């Protein structure tokens, strides 16, 4: 029933937005899973950050004096539906830019469409490296990102692990999906840059509920620090298994663990044991706190705040590029994105965030560590984190 309601709400609001649009309005599309998979929580958070940015742009006079209309679509977590929504946004709704999606796999399924149609896209959630590099050798690459690239967040986790581990005995535990196996590769390479070889590398199935066998091997290898590479439900099972074998090493994980699935499945006490990478948290600044309060009006159970902040900033950068180009023409907007003047975002003030060869608006130097505290995610800082220097963040 909840899924049906969510579909109706997204569809109804998307239709309302289109019906209210006039010929002179500038349309920006948003597409992400908001109903069908474990990533839907991220997509919903991003959607309300997207809506907040459009509201602020219109309050400030719009773009070139024209009202901005957001066109929202739910890709339901599947590549075929994601392809359909992007085609609809570009061909039927005539959007001038797109923000989305949440799933990297969905993005990789439809990137060719805006690239061919010359429609700028800013990805606010998906982290797969190839999203912004697939068309890097083309005369113009139309794919940009304000999110945490997989290897970049591993750079932060790896640097922390090397400093935190007493004897540099670090283990990697990842799920057996492509995501997890890519994480093993990245984490192993990052640790090697620090002159460290993992004492153990173990895998688990995405539906496994007992990881005691893998953890016993890691424990026997003497690891005092473990990097988990998987999404929230798998990490929750790892934490529960750690408790079973009475083994609680320093435990690090990726930003997918911001999902409320982690405390729901592991319990709040165990969830607080995991240290995560994040681009921002609600308690970072007055601007992030204010956006969090606005998003909670529509999404009271918000836990994936970075998705809201990243989507908000993605819209702001698209709007700033259109203003700078004094046009919604895709080529001109893309060129403006690559030479963008200072633009105020929620995460930071962006000063030429993109270039012809770099379409990543955030880097490891922008990231933080975070931790669950009860039902909220807060910024995490200890003496180890404070001791990290830019030279430690190897990539």
């Amino acid at each position: 029933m909840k899924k049906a309601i969510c579909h109706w709400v997204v569809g109804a609001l998307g239709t309302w937005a289109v019906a209210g649009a006039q010929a002179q309005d500038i349309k920006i599309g948003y597409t992400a899973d908001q109903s069908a998979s474990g990533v839907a929580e991220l997509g919903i958070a991003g959607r309300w950050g997207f809506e907040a940015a459009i509201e602020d742009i219109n309050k400030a006079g719009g773009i070139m004096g024209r009202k901005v209309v957001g066109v929202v679509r739910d890709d339901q977590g599947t590549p075929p539906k994601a392809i359909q929504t992007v085609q609809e946004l570009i061909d039927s709704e005539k959007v001038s830019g797109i923000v989305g999606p949440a799933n990297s796999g969905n993005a990789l399924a439809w990137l060719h469409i805006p690239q061919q149609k010359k429609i700028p896209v800013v990805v606010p959630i998906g982290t797969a490296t190839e999203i912004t590099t697939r068309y890097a050798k083309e005369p113009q690459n139309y794919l940009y990102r304000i999110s945490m690239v997989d290897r970049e967040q591993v750079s932060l986790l790896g640097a922390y692990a090397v400093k935190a581990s007493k004897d540099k005995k670090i283990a990697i535990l990842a799920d057996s999906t492509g995501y997890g196996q890519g994480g093993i590769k990245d984490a192993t390479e990052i640790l090697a840059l620090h002159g460290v070889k993992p004492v153990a590398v173990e895998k688990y199935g995405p539906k496994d509920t007992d990881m005691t066998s893998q953890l016993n091997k890691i424990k026997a290898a003497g690891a005092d620090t473990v990097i988990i590479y998987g999404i929230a439900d798998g990490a929750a099972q790892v934490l529960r298994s750690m408790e079973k074998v009475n083994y609680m090493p320093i435990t690090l994980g990726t930003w997918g663990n911001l999902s409320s699935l982690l405390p729901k499945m592991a319990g709040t006490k165990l969830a607080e044991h995991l240290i995560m990478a994040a681009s921002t948290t609600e308690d970072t600044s007055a601007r992030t706190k204010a956006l969090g309060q606005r998003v909670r009006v529509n999404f009271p159970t918000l836990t994936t705040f970075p998705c809201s902040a990243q989507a908000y900033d993605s819209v702001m950068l698209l709007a700033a590029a259109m203003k700078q180009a004094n046009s919604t023409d895709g080529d001109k907007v893309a060129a403006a994105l690559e030479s963008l003047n200072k633009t105020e975002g929620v995460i930071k003030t962006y000063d030429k965030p993109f270039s012809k060869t770099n379409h990543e608006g955030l880097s490891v130097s922008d990231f933080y560590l975070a931790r669950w505290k009860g039902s909220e995610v807060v910024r995490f800082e200890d003496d180890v984190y404070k001791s990290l220097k830019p030279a430690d963040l190897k990539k």
Side-chain angles (χ1 to χ4, degrees):
M1 185 63 181
K2 284 185 177 180
K3 185 180 291 188
I5 291 172
C6 189
H7 282 206
W8 181 86
V9 171
V10 173
L13 286 173
T15 302
W16 177 88
V18 175
Q22 301 298 318
Q24 71 272 20
D25 294 339
I26 295 173
K27 294 182 183 179
I28 298 177
Y30 179 79
T31 177
D33 181 10
Q34 296 160 71
S35 63
S37 77
V39 177
E41 191 172 343
L42 283 67
I44 295 169
R47 179 260 178 88
W48 292 117
F50 169 87
E51 296 276 13
I54 288 178
E55 180 181 356
D56 288 349
I57 291 167
N58 285 329
K59 283 182 179 178
I63 299 174
M64 297 178 290
R66 295 160 64 184
K67 180 182 176 182
V68 181
V69 174
V71 185
V72 177
R73 291 292 182 268
D74 181 357
D75 70 22
Q76 298 174 25
T78 65
K81 182 64 175 178
I83 292 170
Q84 178 188 332
T85 62
V86 170
Q87 289 174 328
E88 182 181 330
L89 287 170
I90 294 174
D91 296 335
S92 300
E93 304 301 343
K94 308 297 182 184
V95 299
S96 298
I98 293 175
V99 174
N103 308 58
S104 290
N106 285 0
L108 295 172
W110 56 248
L111 293 184
H112 63 286
I113 302 171
Q115 179 67 24
Q116 292 169 359
K117 303 281 186 175
K118 300 183 179 182
I119 300 295
V121 175
V122 185
V123 178
I125 301 172
T127 59
T129 302
E130 190 186 351
I131 289 173
T132 59
T133 61
R134 179 182 287 179
Y135 298 108
K137 294 182 180 180
E138 295 292 319
Q140 180 61 61
N141 178 6
Y142 293 88
L143 289 307
Y144 303 81
R145 174 161 42 198
I146 298 295
S147 187
M148 299 181 70
V149 186
D150 288 342
R151 191 174 176 90
E152 299 269 324
Q153 59 178 321
V154 174
S155 295
L156 174 58
L157 296 175
Y160 183 90
V162 170
K163 291 265 188 174
S165 177
K166 183 178 179 181
D167 299 311
K168 304 296 183 284
K169 291 190 174 183
I170 302 164
I172 303 169
L173 179 57
D175 71 36
S176 58
T177 67
Y179 173 71
Q181 296 315 290
I184 288 177
K185 180 178 181 293
D186 285 341
T188 301
E189 291 176 355
I190 292 295
L191 291 176
L193 294 176
H194 290 274
V196 175
K197 182 179 180 180
V199 296
V201 176
E202 294 289 332
K203 304 174 186 178
Y204 61 88
K207 295 187 180 298
D208 289 352
T209 59
D210 187 347
M211 287 74 157
T212 55
S213 175
Q214 296 94 320
L215 289 169
N216 279 326
K217 293 176 184 177
I218 290 171
K219 184 178 181 180
D224 62 1
T225 304
V226 176
I227 298 174
I228 302 174
Y229 216 97
I231 58 177
D233 51 356
Q237 299 295 358
V238 172
L239 290 170
R240 292 176 66 179
S241 295
M242 284 180 171
E243 187 176 49
K244 286 180 185 178
V245 297
N246 193 30
Y247 172 56
M248 300 300 293
I250 297 167
T251 308
L252 308 171
T254 57
W255 81 305
N257 293 295
L258 294 168
S259 168
S260 63
L261 281 175
L262 189 77
K264 285 177 182 175
M265 295 179 65
T268 54
K269 182 180 178 182
L270 283 176
E272 289 175 4
H273 182 70
L274 184 69
I275 301 168
M276 305 169 284
S279 63
T280 190
T281 54
E282 285 184 71
D283 62 349
T284 296
S285 68
R287 289 180 65 81
T288 56
K289 183 177 180 180
L291 179 62
Q293 291 173 342
R294 290 174 68 185
V295 171
R296 286 182 189 282
V297 172
N298 299 302
F299 190 22
T301 58
L302 173 72
T303 61
T304 51
F305 174 76
C307 300
S308 298
Q310 289 162 192
Y312 182 98
D313 287 4
S314 296
V315 177
M316 286 301 185
L317 292 172
L318 262 179
M322 291 176 186
K323 291 177 184 177
Q324 186 169 308
N326 196 33
S327 173
T328 57
D329 176 79
D331 279 331
K332 293 179 181 178
V333 174
L337 281 168
E338 293 167 3
S339 60
L340 200 58
N341 296 327
K342 283 188 177 181
T343 302
E344 191 71 31
V346 169
I347 296 173
K348 67 175 184 176
T349 298
Y350 297 85
D351 188 7
K352 292 184 170 50
F354 307 115
S355 68
K356 191 70 176 176
T357 57
N358 178 25
H359 283 199
E360 302 292 350
L362 297 177
S363 69
V364 63
S365 60
D366 296 308
F367 301 158
Y368 305 108
L369 292 178
R371 173 178 270 174
W372 281 93
K373 185 176 181 181
S375 60
E376 298 180 352
V377 175
V378 298
R379 192 167 174 176
F380 172 79
E381 290 185 341
D382 62 0
D383 291 341
V384 174
Y385 177 82
K386 291 175 182 177
S387 72
L388 293 178
K389 298 178 175 60
D392 295 322
L393 303 176
K394 301 177 187 293
K395 296 182 282 185

